[in-house]
Amino acid sequence: VSASWDGKVVSDVSLKSEKGALARVANPWGAKRVEVRDASATPVSVTEREGALELPTRPGVSYTLRPAQ
């Protein structure tokens, strides 16, 4: 997992799944909605539970999380 930070806010978060499973990541944007896309820019379903984002992953695939536009 890595994040881009401009000194004030996180602009995006990237993660790469090693084994493929449900990923659970703290939402760095608080109450803002988040969009997730895989490496081919395909949207990925994400749910929020108790302040964390949960998304299904596939082995070897990278994902980018950003605040929704």
Side-chain angles (χ1 to χ4, degrees), residues 1-2 14-20 23 57-64:
V1 175
S2 64
S14 300
L15 65 92
K16 183 172 183 177
S17 176
E18 293 181 357
K19 298 183 179 181
T57 68
R58 296 186 318 263
V61 177
S62 294
Y63 300 88
T64 301

Side-chain angles (χ1 to χ4, degrees), residues 14-42:
S14 300
L15 65 92
K16 183 172 183 177
S17 176
E18 293 181 357
K19 298 183 179 181
L22 184 68
R24 188 167 162 86
V25 180
N27 185 347
W29 302 286
K32 287 187 178 179
R33 286 187 334 108
V34 175
E35 69 176 32
V36 179
R37 296 190 180 267
D38 66 16
S40 62
T42 303

Side-chain angles (χ1 to χ4, degrees), residues 3 42 48-49:
T42 303
E48 186 166 355
R49 186 169 309 175

Side-chain angles (χ1 to χ4, degrees), residues 3-24:
S4 296
W5 170 259
D6 70 2
K8 295 181 183 180
V9 296
V10 174
S11 58
D12 62 50
V13 173
S14 300
L15 65 92
K16 183 172 183 177
S17 176
E18 293 181 357
K19 298 183 179 181
L22 184 68
R24 188 167 162 86

